[in-house]
């Protein structure tokens, strides 16, 4: 089992950058594929980005391509989401998620993940 905690959210202006972090408990972080999701008020939780257990494979939602970068440091049990050129429509609660898997698998749906963090708020003003 793994416990996840997000950090790094905040209030920024459009065009700014933020880096979210997701820190995991446990000693087997490198065996988990990880992902970022977000949920805006009144909307369903949606996929943002995912990374394989080894970090070699990544996948992005169309809305994140070219602006967001997902990465991980298995030695620090931490995953990151670098968000650049933020837009007001990026405003949401951002969640990190984990699932036990192997190799190069990335998962891009909510159903593919077993563990979730409590979320961190990102607000982008226009």
């Amino acid at each position: 089992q793994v416990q996840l905690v997000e950090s790094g959210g905040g209030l920024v202006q459009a065009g700014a950058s933020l880096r979210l972090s997701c820190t995991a408990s446990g000693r087997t972080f490198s065996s988990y594929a990880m992902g970022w999701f977000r949920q805006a008020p009144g909307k369903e939780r949606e996929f943002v980005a995912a990374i394989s257990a080894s970090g070699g494979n990544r996948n992005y939602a169309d809305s994140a391509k070219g602006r967001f970068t997902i990465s991980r440091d298995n030695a620090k049990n931490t995953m990151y989401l670098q968000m650049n050129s933020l837009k007001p429509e990026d405003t949401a609660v951002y969640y990190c998620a984990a699932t036990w898997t192997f190799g190069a698998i990335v998962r891009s749906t909510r159903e593919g993940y077993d563990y979730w963090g409590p979320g961190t708020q990102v607000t982008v003003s226009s």
Side-chain angles (χ1 to χ4, degrees):
Q1 191 169 355
V2 64
Q3 293 182 327
L4 307 172
V5 178
E6 305 91 341
S7 62
L11 172 63
V12 297
Q13 291 188 331
S17 297
L18 277 177
R19 188 177 80 157
L20 305 183
S21 299
C22 172
T23 301
S25 64
R27 294 176 290 179
T28 57
F29 180 70
S30 60
S31 297
Y32 288 87
M34 304 289 295
W36 287 101
F37 290 75
R38 68 186 184 186
Q39 188 166 16
K43 295 188 177 181
E44 292 188 353
R45 191 171 301 188
E46 64 176 8
F47 169 73
V48 176
I51 190 166
S52 60
S54 65
N57 276 0
R58 306 174 188 188
N59 191 27
Y60 296 93
D62 288 343
S63 60
K65 288 178 182 176
R67 299 189 300 128
F68 295 2
T69 302
I70 189 171
S71 62
R72 65 190 296 162
D73 185 339
N74 286 346
K76 295 183 178 179
N77 280 18
T78 302
M79 173 181 65
Y80 305 98
L81 184 68
Q82 178 67 43
M83 305 188 294
N84 299 329
S85 302
L86 283 162
K87 305 174 182 179
E89 50 264 44
D90 295 317
T91 295
V93 177
Y94 283 70
Y95 299 91
C96 68
T99 185
W100 180 278
T101 186
F102 299 96
I105 295 174
V106 289
R107 300 199 184 278
S108 305
T109 64
R110 289 175 296 175
E111 294 75 18
Y113 290 91
D114 304 302
Y115 305 101
W116 294 84
T120 186
Q121 177 71 47
V122 172
T123 303
V124 184
S125 64
S126 58

